[in-house]
Amino acid sequence: MKTAELYAPGRKGADAVSWLLDDYPRLVKEIRDLRRRVSQLDQEGAELDSILEELRQIANRINQL
């Protein structure tokens, strides 16, 4: 119960546990959304790295001319 009280501000005992259990699905959804967003950011970063490498190669070709 003490741990539940830490996560449920202003609530004590069984009320804190109940609030935590009620809030759990929302928390799980937020974590899933965050994981999905991090994965998307990783993919976008990889795409940008690929484009940057292509631009470097183009710049090197221009310098060689």
Side-chain angles (χ1 to χ4, degrees), residues 4-5 8 11 18 24 35-36 43 53:
E5 290 173 358
R11 291 171 174 80
S18 177
Y24 186 76
R35 285 182 178 164
R36 190 173 17 258
Q43 182 180 2
E53 182 57 34

Side-chain angles (χ1 to χ4, degrees), residues 2-42:
K2 291 185 184 214
T3 303
E5 290 173 358
L6 292 173
Y7 291 104
R11 291 171 174 80
K12 298 289 181 192
D15 185 39
V17 173
S18 177
W19 182 86
L20 190 60
L21 291 173
D22 289 343
D23 196 49
Y24 186 76
R26 181 198 60 80
L27 177 61
V28 170
K29 181 186 177 307
E30 283 186 16
I31 290 171
R32 287 181 180 151
D33 290 344
L34 288 171
R35 285 182 178 164
R36 190 173 17 258
R37 182 64 181 134
V38 167
S39 177
Q40 182 182 3
L41 288 172
D42 286 343

